[in-house]
Each structure stands twice: as structure tokens, then as C-alpha cells.
Amino acid sequence: MPHDESRPAADRSGAGAEEGLRRSAAFLVDEALGFAFPAALRAAADTGVADALAAGPATPDELAAATGTDARNLYRVLRLLATRAVVAEDERGRFTLTEAGQALRADVPYSVRDAVRMLTDRAFWLPAGRMTDCLTEGGTAFDAVFGMPFFDHFAQDERTAAVFHVGMAAMSEAENAAVAAAYAFPDTGTVVDVGGGHGGLLREVLRRNPGLRGVLHDRAHVLAGHRLDDEKEIAGRWSTAEGDFFTAVPAGDVLLLKRITHDWDDDECVTLLGHCRRALRPGGRVLVLDAVVPRDNAPHQAKAMDLLMMVSLTGRERTEADFAELLGRAGLRLSRVLPTPTVLSVVEAVVQN
């Protein structure tokens, strides 16, 4: 059809606007369906599909027999995972675990199978479904779903506590070596890993810095799962200290807080950081190892993690300016921010003069 120059410009722009709205509608519907992917990823993690694929390509029937699952439904899950290159389907209907999907296996270094299960656990999943409540009422949705705050629920539900601590250890494992290598630690002194979980980060710091000693600080039930004694290379250079970091922390020359501050609101963080400041020996440093949210529109893991903090905990992810203000309230000064090859940065703080 020839272009009608007599058609009013307003009509032409109206047609273009209508097409734009159709594209917007299709885009938003696709985005609304996006939650099906982490559900499928969790199902694969729960059933050990990635481990069953370790030996090579397999059909859904073969995988179902190996994992005790329903073949037709398993195929439907794998078909969606293939759209994000976690697995790939060939022309014979066999599935292969891709390079991107390897860390879903339980038997490989840096496995995130337990981390996937943690991030998609009902402790995050159910409150996320009530995110609107956070906007209309403020605060977290977790209390309304579970009847108590996040960490109080931990104290009463061993299953949730185990999922969280094992999942956090798995999530951290792929980060620890890179984070430990990104900072020039002193040649001698004591490093305290505050709320250090199973000790993965402290282990890496001590391995790379043979003149340092380390203290792993956490609650007793968490320390029971530590893995520091697995490393002969650091034998005799570490100890554990039971405690609550909202009460006090052990003294040291470098205090580490990895993925801790984002769990807590500003006032709680000021209390914690105040204890860290008082525990620092002269010339010491506090290293907050957390994501620093960029001030742009680009995708960033911290922007998604921030919403999990919003719906389930009292904390949030923070910008560099947020950290500077928070540290200042605790009597500390942000001295520099060092990027690492991971999503985390090293936010270095010293005592204010």
C-alpha cells in the first residue's frame, strides 16, 4: 500500500504508539512469567539432575530413572532451563549440562547447588509473594508470613537454619579466594572474621598471609560446622570465639564483615560497627565485604538481593554514600572502596580522628 502523505501526523504517531504498547504488553507478560525459572532451577537442584548429567548426555527417561522423577514433567523443567543455557537439548532429545550449568552439581568445587536452594527457599520465596505489603505498610513481609522475625524463626526451625548456613557457605565459596586476594593484608597481626559462618573466608585469608593469625567469631551452633581444621596449611594459627556481635566482638587488627551489614537496618549496623570500632587495635581496619550498589540502570545482583532483604529481613543493600554515612555514625571513616572480581567490594574503614 502506498504511503498516504495526506494522513495526519497525529494518526501516524498514534499507530506507532499503539504498536509500542503491544510490544510493552508482550514484554511485561514475559517478565511476569520469569519467576518460573528460579522455580525450575530449584527443582533441578532438589532432584540432583545436574549430577545425573555429569556422565554425559541423557534422555528425560534416563534422567528420570536416575533421579526418581517423572520423565514428562522433568522434560518440561529441562526445556525451560535450556532457554537460559543451564542445559542444552540436542536433535535426539538428549540433554547435556552446559558450562554455565556445571556449578549446579554437588560434587564440584564452587558448587552453588545449596546456594540455589537457599535463595529459593520458602524463607525468601513466600515473603517475596507479599512484596506489595512492604510498599503499602513498610517493613518486612516475613513476620506476617511466619509470625516472627527472620532470625527468631531460625532459632526455632532447624531446617531453615541449616538451609541458610549451608547455602551461605556455598554462595561464599566461589567468592572467598577472589575477595581474600583483592586486599593487601598486613604481614602480621590478628584477623577477626565477625559472623564468619563456617570460616571459608578466614581460611583463604590465612592461606595467603602466613604471618597472620585468625579468629572465627559466630554463634556456637554455627561454629559447630566450621571447616578451618580441614587445612593443614593454617594449622595452629586460628581459634574460634563464640558470641553475639550485637554484644561485643573479639579484638583484632583487621575485622572482616562479609555479607553481614546487608542483613540489618541502619541502627542495628551502627551498633555492630560500634563494637567493631572499639575492638580495633591501634591502626586497625574494618573491612565491610558487601555489594556496593551502583547508581545507574544497569543490571546488578545487589538490586535483586536488596528486594530479598526487604521482604525477609530488616536490612538492605547500600551505595557507597550509604556506607560512608553508616560508618560515620559508628565513629568510623570510609577510607576507600576496592572492587573484587566478584559482586562484592572491600569497603575499608578506619577510626575517625
Side-chain angles (χ1 to χ4, degrees), residues 188-262:
T188 61
T190 299
V191 176
V192 181
D193 196 352
V194 179
H198 292 170
L201 175 61
L202 185 60
R203 182 185 63 208
E204 293 295 336
V205 170
L206 295 180
R207 284 180 59 197
R208 284 167 169 72
N209 300 274
L212 293 177
R213 299 186 63 83
V215 178
L216 181 63
H217 175 263
D218 216 313
R219 302 270 189 152
H221 70 279
V222 180
L223 292 176
H226 82 77
R227 294 169 296 158
L228 293 176
D229 49 13
D230 294 343
E231 286 285 336
K232 294 181 180 179
E233 192 175 349
I234 65 172
R237 293 195 288 125
W238 60 269
S239 61
T240 61
E242 297 178 10
D244 176 357
F245 51 53
F246 284 121
T247 302
V249 301
D253 301 284
V254 180
L255 272 59
L256 309 176
L257 292 165
K258 182 170 183 282
R259 290 193 181 273
I260 299 293
T261 57
H262 75 161

Side-chain angles (χ1 to χ4, degrees), residues 70-117:
D70 180 87
R72 182 160 63 176
N73 287 341
L74 178 59
Y75 171 75
R76 296 160 79 180
V77 168
L78 293 171
R79 180 171 58 186
L80 179 60
L81 294 180
T83 67
R84 303 282 189 93
V86 175
V87 296
E89 184 181 7
D90 64 21
E91 67 281 356
R92 296 170 57 185
R94 300 178 306 171
F95 284 91
T96 302
L97 191 63
T98 65
E99 182 179 0
Q102 291 295 326
L104 196 58
R105 293 168 53 187
D107 62 346
V108 295
Y110 308 131
S111 168
V112 292
R113 179 183 177 186
D114 287 326
V116 167
R117 298 175 75 183

